[in-house]
Coordinates of all heavy atoms in Angstrom, one line a residue:
L1 N -93.7 -58.3 -1.7 CA -93.3 -58.2 -0.3 C -93.0 -59.6 0.2 O -93.9 -60.4 0.3 CB -94.5 -57.6 0.4 CG -94.3 -57.1 1.9 CD1 -93.4 -55.9 1.9 CD2 -95.6 -56.9 2.6
A2 N -91.7 -59.8 0.4 CA -91.3 -61.1 0.8 C -91.6 -61.3 2.3 O -91.8 -60.4 3.1 CB -89.8 -61.2 0.6
G3 N -91.8 -62.6 2.6 CA -92.0 -62.9 4.1 C -93.5 -62.7 4.5 O -94.3 -62.5 3.6
V4 N -93.7 -62.9 5.7 CA -95.1 -62.8 6.2 C -95.4 -61.4 6.5 O -94.8 -60.6 7.2 CB -95.2 -63.6 7.5 CG1 -96.6 -63.5 8.1 CG2 -94.8 -65.1 7.3
A5 N -96.5 -60.9 5.9 CA -97.0 -59.5 6.1 C -97.7 -59.4 7.4 O -98.5 -60.3 7.7 CB -97.9 -59.1 5.0
I6 N -97.5 -58.4 8.2 CA -98.1 -58.2 9.5 C -98.8 -56.9 9.4 O -98.1 -55.9 9.2 CB -97.0 -58.2 10.6 CG1 -96.2 -59.5 10.6 CG2 -97.7 -58.0 12.0 CD1 -94.9 -59.4 11.4
A7 N -100.0 -56.8 9.6 CA -100.8 -55.5 9.7 C -100.8 -55.1 11.1 O -101.4 -55.7 12.0 CB -102.1 -55.7 9.1
Y8 N -100.1 -53.9 11.3 CA -100.2 -53.4 12.7 C -101.4 -52.5 12.8 O -101.6 -51.5 12.1 CB -98.9 -52.5 12.9 CG -97.7 -53.3 13.2 CD1 -96.6 -53.2 12.3 CD2 -97.5 -54.1 14.3 CE1 -95.5 -53.9 12.5 CE2 -96.3 -54.8 14.4 CZ -95.3 -54.7 13.6 OH -94.2 -55.4 13.8
S9 N -102.3 -52.9 13.6 CA -103.6 -52.2 13.7 C -103.4 -50.8 14.2 O -104.1 -49.9 13.9 CB -104.6 -52.9 14.7 OG -104.0 -53.0 15.9
A10 N -102.3 -50.5 14.9 CA -102.0 -49.2 15.5 C -101.4 -48.3 14.4 O -101.4 -47.1 14.5 CB -101.2 -49.2 16.8
G11 N -100.8 -49.0 13.5 CA -99.9 -48.2 12.5 C -100.5 -47.1 11.8 O -100.1 -46.0 11.8
I12 N -101.7 -47.4 11.2 CA -102.2 -46.4 10.3 C -102.7 -45.1 11.0 O -102.5 -44.0 10.6 CB -103.4 -47.0 9.4 CG1 -103.8 -46.0 8.3 CG2 -104.6 -47.4 10.3 CD1 -102.8 -45.7 7.3
N13 N -103.2 -45.3 12.2 CA -103.7 -44.2 13.0 C -102.6 -43.2 13.3 O -102.7 -42.0 13.2 CB -104.4 -44.6 14.2 CG -105.7 -45.4 13.9 OD1 -106.3 -45.1 12.9 ND2 -106.0 -46.3 14.7
V14 N -101.5 -43.8 13.7 CA -100.4 -43.0 14.2 C -99.7 -42.3 13.1 O -99.2 -41.2 13.2 CB -99.4 -43.8 15.1 CG1 -98.2 -43.0 15.5 CG2 -100.1 -44.4 16.2
V15 N -99.5 -43.0 11.9 CA -98.7 -42.5 10.8 C -99.5 -41.7 9.8 O -98.9 -41.2 8.9 CB -97.9 -43.6 10.1 CG1 -97.0 -44.3 11.1 CG2 -98.9 -44.6 9.4
S16 N -100.8 -41.5 10.0 CA -101.6 -40.8 9.1 C -102.1 -39.4 9.5 O -103.2 -39.1 9.2 CB -102.8 -41.7 8.6 OG -103.7 -41.8 9.7
G17 N -101.3 -38.8 10.3 CA -101.7 -37.5 10.8 C -102.1 -36.5 9.7 O -101.3 -36.4 8.7
A18 N -103.3 -35.9 9.8 CA -103.7 -35.1 8.8 C -103.0 -33.8 8.5 O -103.0 -33.2 7.5 CB -105.2 -34.7 9.0
D19 N -102.2 -33.5 9.6 CA -101.4 -32.2 9.4 C -100.1 -32.3 8.6 O -99.4 -31.4 8.4 CB -101.1 -31.6 10.8 CG -100.2 -32.6 11.7 OD1 -100.0 -33.7 11.2 OD2 -99.9 -32.2 12.8
G20 N -99.8 -33.6 8.2 CA -98.7 -33.7 7.4 C -97.4 -33.8 8.2 O -96.3 -33.9 7.6
T21 N -97.4 -33.8 9.4 CA -96.2 -33.8 10.2 C -95.8 -35.3 10.2 O -96.5 -36.2 10.0 CB -96.4 -33.4 11.7 OG1 -97.5 -34.1 12.3 CG2 -96.7 -31.9 11.6
K22 N -94.5 -35.5 10.7 CA -94.0 -36.8 10.8 C -94.8 -37.5 12.0 O -95.1 -36.9 12.9 CB -92.5 -36.8 11.2 CG -91.6 -36.4 10.1 CD -90.2 -36.2 10.6 CE -89.3 -35.6 9.5 NZ -88.0 -35.3 10.1
G23 N -95.0 -38.8 11.8 CA -95.6 -39.6 12.8 C -94.7 -40.8 13.1 O -94.0 -41.3 12.2
V24 N -94.7 -41.2 14.4 CA -93.9 -42.3 14.8 C -94.7 -43.2 15.6 O -95.4 -42.8 16.5 CB -92.6 -41.8 15.6 CG1 -91.8 -43.0 16.1 CG2 -91.8 -40.9 14.7
S25 N -94.6 -44.5 15.4 CA -95.4 -45.5 16.1 C -94.4 -46.6 16.6 O -93.8 -47.2 15.8 CB -96.5 -46.1 15.3 OG -97.2 -47.1 16.0
L26 N -94.4 -46.7 17.9 CA -93.5 -47.8 18.5 C -94.4 -49.0 18.7 O -95.4 -48.9 19.5 CB -92.8 -47.4 19.7 CG -91.7 -48.2 20.2 CD1 -90.6 -48.3 19.1 CD2 -91.1 -47.7 21.5
V27 N -94.2 -50.1 18.1 CA -95.0 -51.3 18.2 C -94.1 -52.5 18.6 O -93.0 -52.4 18.6 CB -95.8 -51.6 16.9 CG1 -96.7 -50.4 16.5 CG2 -94.8 -51.8 15.7
T28 N -94.9 -53.6 18.8 CA -94.1 -54.8 19.0 C -94.3 -55.8 17.8 O -95.4 -56.0 17.4 CB -94.6 -55.5 20.3 OG1 -94.4 -54.7 21.4 CG2 -93.8 -56.8 20.6
D29 N -93.3 -56.3 17.3 CA -93.3 -57.3 16.2 C -93.9 -58.5 16.8 O -93.3 -59.2 17.6 CB -92.0 -57.5 15.7 CG -92.0 -58.5 14.5 OD1 -92.9 -59.3 14.4 OD2 -91.0 -58.5 13.7
P30 N -95.2 -59.0 16.4 CA -95.8 -60.1 17.0 C -95.1 -61.4 16.7 O -95.3 -62.4 17.4 CB -97.2 -60.1 16.3 CG -97.1 -59.3 15.1 CD -96.0 -58.3 15.3
K31 N -94.2 -61.4 15.7 CA -93.5 -62.6 15.4 C -92.3 -62.8 16.2 O -92.1 -63.9 16.8 CB -93.2 -62.6 13.8 CG -92.7 -63.9 13.3 CD -92.6 -63.8 11.8 CE -92.2 -65.2 11.2 NZ -91.9 -65.1 9.8
S32 N -91.5 -61.8 16.3 CA -90.2 -61.9 17.0 C -90.3 -61.4 18.4 O -89.4 -61.7 19.3 CB -89.1 -61.1 16.3 OG -89.3 -59.7 16.4
G33 N -91.4 -60.6 18.7 CA -91.4 -60.0 20.1 C -90.6 -58.8 20.2 O -90.6 -58.1 21.3
D34 N -89.8 -58.5 19.2 CA -88.9 -57.3 19.3 C -89.7 -56.0 19.1 O -90.8 -55.9 18.4 CB -87.9 -57.3 18.1 CG -86.8 -58.3 18.3 OD1 -86.7 -58.8 19.5 OD2 -86.1 -58.6 17.3
P35 N -89.3 -54.9 19.7 CA -89.9 -53.6 19.5 C -89.5 -53.2 18.0 O -88.5 -53.5 17.5 CB -89.2 -52.7 20.5 CG -88.0 -53.3 20.8 CD -88.2 -54.9 20.7
A36 N -90.5 -52.6 17.4 CA -90.3 -52.1 16.0 C -90.8 -50.6 16.0 O -91.7 -50.3 16.8 CB -90.9 -53.0 15.0
V37 N -90.3 -49.9 15.1 CA -90.7 -48.5 15.0 C -91.2 -48.2 13.6 O -90.5 -48.6 12.6 CB -89.6 -47.5 15.4 CG1 -88.3 -47.6 14.6 CG2 -90.1 -46.1 15.5
I38 N -92.4 -47.7 13.4 CA -92.9 -47.3 12.1 C -92.9 -45.7 12.0 O -93.4 -45.1 13.0 CB -94.4 -47.8 12.0 CG1 -94.4 -49.3 12.2 CG2 -94.9 -47.4 10.6 CD1 -95.9 -49.8 12.3
I39 N -92.3 -45.2 11.0 CA -92.1 -43.8 10.9 C -92.7 -43.3 9.5 O -92.4 -43.8 8.5 CB -90.6 -43.5 11.0 CG1 -90.0 -44.0 12.2 CG2 -90.4 -41.9 10.9 CD1 -88.5 -44.1 12.1
R40 N -93.5 -42.2 9.6 CA -93.9 -41.5 8.4 C -92.9 -40.3 8.3 O -92.9 -39.4 9.1 CB -95.3 -41.1 8.6 CG -95.8 -40.3 7.4 CD -97.2 -39.8 7.6 NE -97.6 -38.8 6.6 CZ -98.6 -38.0 6.8 NH1 -99.3 -38.0 7.9 NH2 -98.9 -37.1 5.8
L41 N -92.2 -40.4 7.2 CA -91.3 -39.3 7.0 C -92.0 -38.1 6.4 O -93.2 -38.1 6.0 CB -90.2 -39.7 6.0 CG -89.4 -41.0 6.3 CD1 -88.5 -41.4 5.2 CD2 -88.7 -40.7 7.7
A42 N -91.4 -37.0 6.3 CA -92.0 -35.7 5.9 C -92.5 -35.8 4.5 O -93.5 -35.1 4.1 CB -91.0 -34.5 6.0
N43 N -91.9 -36.7 3.7 CA -92.3 -36.8 2.3 C -93.4 -37.8 2.1 O -93.7 -38.3 1.0 CB -91.2 -37.1 1.3 CG -90.5 -38.3 1.7 OD1 -90.9 -39.1 2.5 ND2 -89.4 -38.7 1.0
D44 N -94.0 -38.3 3.3 CA -95.1 -39.3 3.3 C -94.6 -40.7 3.0 O -95.4 -41.6 3.0 CB -96.2 -38.9 2.4 CG -97.1 -37.8 2.9 OD1 -97.1 -37.6 4.1 OD2 -97.8 -37.2 2.2
T45 N -93.4 -40.9 2.8 CA -92.8 -42.3 2.8 C -92.9 -42.9 4.2 O -92.7 -42.2 5.2 CB -91.3 -42.3 2.4 OG1 -91.3 -41.6 1.2 CG2 -90.8 -43.7 2.3
V46 N -93.4 -44.1 4.3 CA -93.4 -44.8 5.5 C -92.4 -45.9 5.6 O -92.2 -46.7 4.7 CB -94.8 -45.4 5.8 CG1 -94.9 -46.3 7.1 CG2 -95.9 -44.3 5.8
V47 N -91.6 -45.9 6.6 CA -90.5 -46.9 6.8 C -90.7 -47.5 8.2 O -91.3 -47.0 9.1 CB -89.1 -46.2 6.7 CG1 -88.9 -45.7 5.3 CG2 -89.0 -45.1 7.8
A48 N -90.1 -48.7 8.3 CA -90.2 -49.4 9.6 C -88.9 -50.1 9.9 O -88.2 -50.6 8.9 CB -91.3 -50.4 9.6
Y49 N -88.5 -50.1 11.1 CA -87.2 -50.8 11.5 C -87.4 -51.5 12.8 O -88.3 -51.2 13.6 CB -86.1 -49.7 11.8 CG -85.9 -48.8 10.6 CD1 -86.3 -47.5 10.6 CD2 -85.1 -49.2 9.5 CE1 -86.1 -46.7 9.6 CE2 -84.9 -48.4 8.4 CZ -85.4 -47.1 8.5 OH -85.2 -46.3 7.4
D50 N -86.6 -52.5 13.0 CA -86.4 -53.1 14.3 C -85.9 -52.0 15.2 O -85.0 -51.3 14.8 CB -85.4 -54.2 14.3 CG -86.0 -55.6 14.4 OD1 -87.2 -55.7 14.1 OD2 -85.3 -56.5 14.7
A51 N -86.5 -51.8 16.4 CA -86.1 -50.8 17.3 C -85.1 -51.3 18.3 O -84.9 -50.8 19.4 CB -87.3 -50.2 18.0
V52 N -84.4 -52.3 17.9 CA -83.3 -53.0 18.7 C -82.0 -52.4 18.3 O -81.6 -52.7 17.1 CB -83.4 -54.5 18.7 CG1 -82.3 -55.1 19.5 CG2 -84.8 -55.0 19.1
C53 N -81.3 -51.8 19.1 CA -79.9 -51.2 18.8 C -79.0 -52.4 18.4 O -79.0 -53.4 19.1 CB -79.4 -50.4 19.9 SG -77.8 -49.6 19.5
T54 N -78.3 -52.1 17.3 CA -77.3 -53.2 16.8 C -76.0 -53.2 17.6 O -75.2 -54.0 17.3 CB -77.0 -53.0 15.3 OG1 -76.6 -51.7 15.1 CG2 -78.3 -53.3 14.6
H55 N -75.9 -52.3 18.6 CA -74.7 -52.3 19.4 C -74.9 -53.3 20.5 O -74.3 -54.4 20.5 CB -74.4 -50.9 20.0 CG -73.3 -50.8 20.9 ND1 -73.3 -50.2 22.1 CD2 -72.0 -51.4 20.8 CE1 -72.1 -50.3 22.7 NE2 -71.3 -51.1 21.9
Q56 N -75.8 -53.1 21.5 CA -76.0 -54.1 22.6 C -77.4 -54.3 22.9 O -77.8 -54.8 24.0 CB -75.2 -53.6 23.8 CG -73.7 -53.7 23.7 CD -72.9 -53.3 24.9 OE1 -73.5 -52.9 25.9 NE2 -71.6 -53.4 24.8
G57 N -78.3 -53.9 22.0 CA -79.7 -54.3 22.1 C -80.7 -53.4 22.8 O -81.8 -53.9 23.1
C58 N -80.3 -52.3 23.2 CA -81.3 -51.4 23.8 C -82.3 -50.9 22.8 O -82.1 -51.1 21.6 CB -80.6 -50.1 24.3 SG -79.5 -50.4 25.7
T59 N -83.4 -50.4 23.3 CA -84.5 -50.0 22.4 C -84.3 -48.6 21.9 O -84.1 -47.7 22.7 CB -85.9 -50.1 23.1 OG1 -86.1 -51.4 23.5 CG2 -87.0 -49.6 22.2
V60 N -84.1 -48.5 20.6 CA -83.9 -47.1 20.0 C -85.2 -46.4 19.9 O -86.3 -47.0 19.8 CB -83.2 -47.2 18.7 CG1 -81.8 -47.9 18.8 CG2 -84.0 -47.9 17.6
G61 N -85.2 -45.1 19.8 CA -86.4 -44.3 19.7 C -86.2 -43.1 18.9 O -85.0 -42.7 18.5
Y62 N -87.3 -42.5 18.5 CA -87.2 -41.2 17.7 C -87.3 -40.0 18.7 O -88.2 -40.0 19.5 CB -88.3 -41.2 16.7 CG -88.3 -39.9 16.0 CD1 -87.3 -39.5 15.1 CD2 -89.4 -39.0 16.1 CE1 -87.3 -38.3 14.4 CE2 -89.4 -37.8 15.4 CZ -88.3 -37.5 14.6 OH -88.3 -36.3 13.9
V63 N -86.3 -39.2 18.6 CA -86.4 -38.0 19.5 C -86.9 -36.9 18.6 O -86.3 -36.5 17.6 CB -85.0 -37.6 20.0 CG1 -85.0 -36.3 20.8 CG2 -84.4 -38.8 20.8
Q64 N -88.1 -36.3 19.0 CA -88.7 -35.3 18.2 C -87.7 -34.2 17.8 O -87.0 -33.7 18.6 CB -89.8 -34.6 19.0 CG -91.1 -35.5 19.1 CD -91.7 -35.7 17.7 OE1 -91.6 -34.9 16.8 NE2 -92.4 -36.8 17.6
G65 N -87.7 -33.9 16.5 CA -86.9 -32.8 16.0 C -85.5 -33.2 15.8 O -84.7 -32.4 15.2
S66 N -85.0 -34.3 16.1 CA -83.7 -34.8 15.9 C -83.4 -35.3 14.5 O -82.3 -35.2 14.0 CB -83.3 -35.9 16.9 OG -83.9 -37.1 16.6
G67 N -84.4 -35.8 13.9 CA -84.2 -36.4 12.6 C -83.5 -37.7 12.5 O -83.2 -38.1 11.5
V68 N -83.3 -38.3 13.7 CA -82.6 -39.6 13.7 C -83.3 -40.5 14.7 O -84.0 -40.0 15.6 CB -81.1 -39.4 14.1 CG1 -80.3 -38.7 13.1 CG2 -81.0 -38.8 15.5
L69 N -83.1 -41.8 14.6 CA -83.3 -42.8 15.6 C -82.1 -42.7 16.6 O -81.0 -42.7 16.2 CB -83.5 -44.2 15.1 CG -84.8 -44.4 14.3 CD1 -84.7 -45.8 13.7 CD2 -86.0 -44.3 15.2
Q70 N -82.4 -42.7 17.9 CA -81.3 -42.6 18.8 C -81.4 -43.7 19.9 O -82.5 -44.1 20.3 CB -81.5 -41.2 19.5 CG -80.2 -40.8 20.2 CD -80.2 -39.3 20.4 OE1 -81.2 -38.7 20.9 NE2 -79.2 -38.6 20.1
C71 N -80.2 -44.2 20.3 CA -80.2 -45.2 21.3 C -79.8 -44.5 22.6 O -78.8 -43.8 22.7 CB -79.1 -46.2 21.0 SG -79.0 -47.5 22.3
P72 N -80.7 -44.8 23.7 CA -80.4 -44.1 25.0 C -79.2 -44.6 25.7 O -78.8 -44.0 26.7 CB -81.8 -44.4 25.7 CG -82.2 -45.7 25.2 CD -81.8 -45.6 23.7
C73 N -78.7 -45.8 25.3 CA -77.7 -46.4 26.2 C -76.3 -45.8 26.0 O -75.7 -45.4 26.9 CB -77.7 -47.9 25.9 SG -79.1 -48.7 26.6
H74 N -75.9 -45.8 24.7 CA -74.5 -45.3 24.4 C -74.5 -44.2 23.3 O -73.5 -43.9 22.8 CB -73.6 -46.4 24.1 CG -73.6 -47.6 25.0 ND1 -74.3 -48.8 24.7 CD2 -73.3 -47.7 26.3 CE1 -74.2 -49.6 25.7 NE2 -73.6 -49.0 26.7
G75 N -75.7 -43.8 22.9 CA -75.8 -42.7 22.0 C -75.7 -42.9 20.5 O -75.6 -41.9 19.8
A76 N -75.8 -44.2 20.1 CA -75.7 -44.4 18.7 C -76.9 -43.7 18.0 O -78.0 -43.7 18.6 CB -75.7 -45.9 18.4
T77 N -76.7 -43.3 16.8 CA -77.8 -42.7 16.0 C -77.9 -43.4 14.7 O -76.9 -43.9 14.1 CB -77.7 -41.2 15.8 OG1 -76.4 -40.9 15.2 CG2 -77.8 -40.4 17.1
F78 N -79.2 -43.5 14.2 CA -79.5 -44.2 12.9 C -80.3 -43.3 12.0 O -81.2 -42.6 12.5 CB -80.2 -45.5 13.2 CG -79.5 -46.4 14.1 CD1 -79.7 -46.3 15.5 CD2 -78.7 -47.4 13.6 CE1 -79.0 -47.3 16.3 CE2 -78.0 -48.3 14.4 CZ -78.2 -48.2 15.8
D79 N -80.0 -43.3 10.7 CA -80.7 -42.5 9.7 C -82.2 -42.9 9.7 O -82.4 -44.1 9.6 CB -80.0 -42.7 8.4 CG -80.6 -41.8 7.3 OD1 -81.6 -42.1 6.7 OD2 -80.0 -40.7 7.2
L80 N -83.1 -41.9 9.6 CA -84.5 -42.2 9.6 C -84.9 -42.9 8.3 O -85.9 -43.6 8.2 CB -85.3 -40.9 9.8 CG -85.6 -40.5 11.2 CD1 -86.5 -39.3 11.1 CD2 -86.2 -41.5 12.0
A81 N -84.2 -42.5 7.2 CA -84.7 -43.0 5.9 C -84.1 -44.3 5.5 O -84.6 -45.0 4.6 CB -84.4 -41.9 4.9
S82 N -83.0 -44.7 6.2 CA -82.3 -45.9 5.7 C -82.0 -46.9 6.8 O -81.7 -48.1 6.6 CB -81.0 -45.6 5.0 OG -80.0 -45.1 6.0
G83 N -82.0 -46.4 8.1 CA -81.6 -47.3 9.2 C -80.1 -47.4 9.4 O -79.6 -48.1 10.3
E84 N -79.3 -46.8 8.5 CA -77.9 -46.9 8.6 C -77.4 -46.1 9.8 O -78.0 -45.1 10.2 CB -77.2 -46.3 7.3 CG -77.5 -47.1 6.1 CD -76.7 -48.5 6.1 OE1 -75.6 -48.6 6.7 OE2 -77.2 -49.4 5.5
P85 N -76.3 -46.6 10.5 CA -75.8 -45.9 11.6 C -75.1 -44.6 11.2 O -74.4 -44.6 10.2 CB -74.7 -46.9 12.2 CG -74.4 -47.8 11.1 CD -75.6 -47.9 10.2
L86 N -75.3 -43.6 11.9 CA -74.7 -42.3 11.6 C -73.6 -42.0 12.6 O -72.7 -41.3 12.2 CB -75.8 -41.2 11.7 CG -76.9 -41.3 10.7 CD1 -78.0 -40.2 11.0 CD2 -76.5 -41.1 9.3
D87 N -73.8 -42.5 13.8 CA -72.8 -42.2 14.8 C -72.6 -43.4 15.7 O -73.6 -44.1 16.0 CB -73.2 -41.0 15.6 CG -72.1 -40.2 16.2 OD1 -71.0 -40.6 16.0 OD2 -72.4 -39.2 16.9
G88 N -71.5 -43.8 16.1 CA -71.2 -45.0 16.9 C -71.8 -44.9 18.3 O -72.4 -43.9 18.6
P89 N -71.6 -46.0 19.0 CA -70.8 -47.2 18.7 C -71.4 -48.2 17.8 O -70.7 -49.2 17.4 CB -70.5 -47.7 20.1 CG -71.7 -47.4 20.9 CD -72.2 -46.1 20.4
A90 N -72.6 -48.1 17.4 CA -73.2 -49.1 16.5 C -72.6 -49.0 15.1 O -72.4 -47.9 14.7 CB -74.7 -49.0 16.5
V91 N -72.3 -50.1 14.5 CA -71.7 -50.1 13.2 C -72.7 -50.7 12.1 O -72.4 -50.5 11.0 CB -70.3 -50.8 13.1 CG1 -69.3 -50.0 13.9 CG2 -70.4 -52.3 13.6
D92 N -73.7 -51.5 12.6 CA -74.6 -52.1 11.7 C -75.9 -51.4 11.7 O -76.4 -50.8 12.7 CB -74.8 -53.5 12.1 CG -73.6 -54.4 11.9 OD1 -72.9 -54.3 10.9 OD2 -73.3 -55.2 12.8
P93 N -76.6 -51.4 10.5 CA -77.9 -50.7 10.5 C -79.0 -51.5 11.3 O -78.8 -52.7 11.5 CB -78.3 -50.7 9.0 CG -77.5 -51.9 8.4 CD -76.2 -51.9 9.2
V94 N -80.0 -50.8 11.7 CA -81.2 -51.5 12.3 C -81.9 -52.2 11.1 O -82.0 -51.6 10.1 CB -82.1 -50.6 13.1 CG1 -81.5 -50.2 14.4 CG2 -82.4 -49.3 12.3
P95 N -82.4 -53.5 11.4 CA -83.0 -54.2 10.3 C -84.3 -53.5 9.8 O -85.1 -52.9 10.5 CB -83.4 -55.5 10.9 CG -82.4 -55.7 12.0 CD -82.1 -54.3 12.5
V96 N -84.4 -53.5 8.5 CA -85.5 -52.9 7.8 C -86.7 -53.8 7.7 O -86.5 -55.0 7.4 CB -85.1 -52.4 6.4 CG1 -86.3 -51.9 5.6 CG2 -84.0 -51.4 6.4
H97 N -87.9 -53.3 8.1 CA -89.1 -54.1 7.8 C -89.8 -53.5 6.5 O -90.0 -52.3 6.5 CB -90.2 -53.9 8.9 CG -89.8 -54.5 10.3 ND1 -90.4 -55.6 10.7 CD2 -88.9 -54.2 11.2 CE1 -90.0 -56.0 11.9 NE2 -89.0 -55.1 12.2
P98 N -89.9 -54.3 5.5 CA -90.6 -53.8 4.3 C -92.1 -53.4 4.7 O -92.7 -54.0 5.5 CB -90.7 -55.1 3.4 CG -89.6 -55.9 3.9 CD -89.5 -55.7 5.3
V99 N -92.5 -52.3 4.0 CA -93.8 -51.7 4.3 C -94.5 -51.5 3.0 O -94.0 -51.2 2.0 CB -93.5 -50.3 5.0 CG1 -94.9 -49.6 5.2 CG2 -92.9 -50.4 6.3
R100 N -95.8 -51.7 3.1 CA -96.7 -51.3 2.0 C -98.0 -50.9 2.5 O -98.5 -51.3 3.6 CB -96.8 -52.5 1.0 CG -97.7 -53.6 1.6 CD -97.9 -54.7 0.5 NE -98.7 -55.8 1.1 CZ -98.8 -57.0 0.5 NH1 -98.3 -57.2 -0.7 NH2 -99.6 -57.9 1.1
A101 N -98.7 -50.1 1.7 CA -100.1 -49.7 2.0 C -101.0 -50.5 1.2 O -100.8 -50.8 0.0 CB -100.2 -48.2 1.6
R102 N -102.0 -51.1 1.9 CA -103.1 -51.9 1.3 C -104.4 -51.7 1.9 O -104.5 -51.9 3.2 CB -102.6 -53.3 1.2 CG -103.5 -54.2 0.3 CD -102.9 -55.6 0.1 NE -103.1 -56.3 1.3 CZ -103.3 -57.6 1.3 NH1 -103.5 -58.3 0.2 NH2 -103.5 -58.3 2.5
D103 N -105.4 -51.4 1.2 CA -106.8 -51.3 1.7 C -106.8 -50.4 3.0 O -107.5 -50.7 3.9 CB -107.3 -52.6 2.1 CG -107.5 -53.5 0.9 OD1 -107.6 -53.0 -0.2 OD2 -107.4 -54.8 1.1
G104 N -106.0 -49.3 2.9 CA -106.1 -48.3 4.0 C -105.3 -48.7 5.2 O -105.4 -48.0 6.3
W105 N -104.6 -49.8 5.1 CA -103.7 -50.2 6.3 C -102.3 -50.1 5.8 O -101.9 -50.3 4.7 CB -104.1 -51.6 6.7 CG -105.4 -51.7 7.3 CD1 -106.6 -51.9 6.6 CD2 -105.7 -51.7 8.6 NE1 -107.6 -51.9 7.5 CE2 -107.1 -51.8 8.8 CE3 -104.9 -51.6 9.8 CZ2 -107.8 -51.9 10.0 CZ3 -105.6 -51.7 11.0 CH2 -107.0 -51.8 11.1
I106 N -101.4 -49.9 6.8 CA -100.0 -50.0 6.6 C -99.6 -51.5 7.0 O -99.8 -51.9 8.2 CB -99.2 -49.1 7.5 CG1 -99.6 -47.6 7.2 CG2 -97.7 -49.3 7.3 CD1 -99.2 -47.2 5.8
E107 N -99.1 -52.2 6.1 CA -98.6 -53.6 6.4 C -97.2 -53.6 6.5 O -96.4 -53.1 5.7 CB -99.1 -54.6 5.3 CG -100.6 -54.9 5.3 CD -101.0 -55.9 4.3 OE1 -100.2 -56.2 3.3 OE2 -102.0 -56.5 4.5
V108 N -96.7 -54.2 7.6 CA -95.3 -54.2 7.9 C -94.9 -55.7 7.9 O -95.4 -56.5 8.7 CB -95.0 -53.5 9.3 CG1 -93.5 -53.6 9.5 CG2 -95.5 -52.1 9.3
A109 N -93.9 -56.0 7.1 CA -93.4 -57.4 7.0 C -92.3 -57.7 8.0 O -91.7 -56.8 8.6 CB -93.1 -57.8 5.6
A110 N -92.0 -59.0 8.1 CA -90.8 -59.3 9.0 C -89.6 -58.7 8.3 O -89.5 -58.4 7.2 CB -90.7 -60.8 9.0
P111 N -88.6 -58.4 9.2 CA -87.4 -57.7 8.7 C -86.7 -58.5 7.6 O -86.7 -59.8 7.6 CB -86.5 -57.6 9.9 CG -87.1 -58.5 11.0 CD -88.5 -58.7 10.6
E112 N -86.0 -57.8 6.8 CA -85.3 -58.4 5.7 C -84.1 -59.2 6.2 O -83.6 -60.1 5.6 CB -84.8 -57.3 4.7 CG -86.0 -56.8 3.9 CD -85.7 -55.5 3.1 OE1 -84.7 -54.9 3.5 OE2 -86.4 -55.2 2.2
T113 N -83.5 -58.7 7.3 CA -82.3 -59.4 7.9 C -82.8 -59.7 9.3 O -83.3 -58.9 10.0 CB -81.1 -58.5 7.9 OG1 -81.4 -57.2 8.5 CG2 -80.6 -58.2 6.5
P114 N -82.5 -61.0 9.7 CA -82.9 -61.4 11.1 C -82.3 -60.7 12.2 O -81.2 -60.1 12.0 CB -82.6 -62.9 11.1 CG -81.7 -63.2 9.9 CD -81.8 -62.0 9.0
Ligands
FES1 FE1 -77.2 -48.7 21.6 FE2 -74.9 -49.2 22.9 S1 -76.8 -50.4 23.0 S2 -75.4 -47.6 21.6

């Protein structure tokens, strides 16, 4: 896990729902101050992204049932599993935060791309 690992204390509680449903946690990256989103996918994979839209910087969020991250400003959508843009106007993916599980915590590192 490259970079500085950041343990989000809120992360594990939100993403470890016992019912197996998807969980989403919106947190603040303590290093950059950017909003970040931690998502537990249906297959129990946990992913994390900068929640800053790559179009003009609005905060993206997960809309329940939509299966995508969505930007409220101009409607860009991003793939939950990869962060890649699915629909414009954004053309770049949201930066990925590497994630690992350790000692019962979800550790989220600084994004791979600044
Ligand atoms: Fe997100 Fe424009 S700022 S779509």
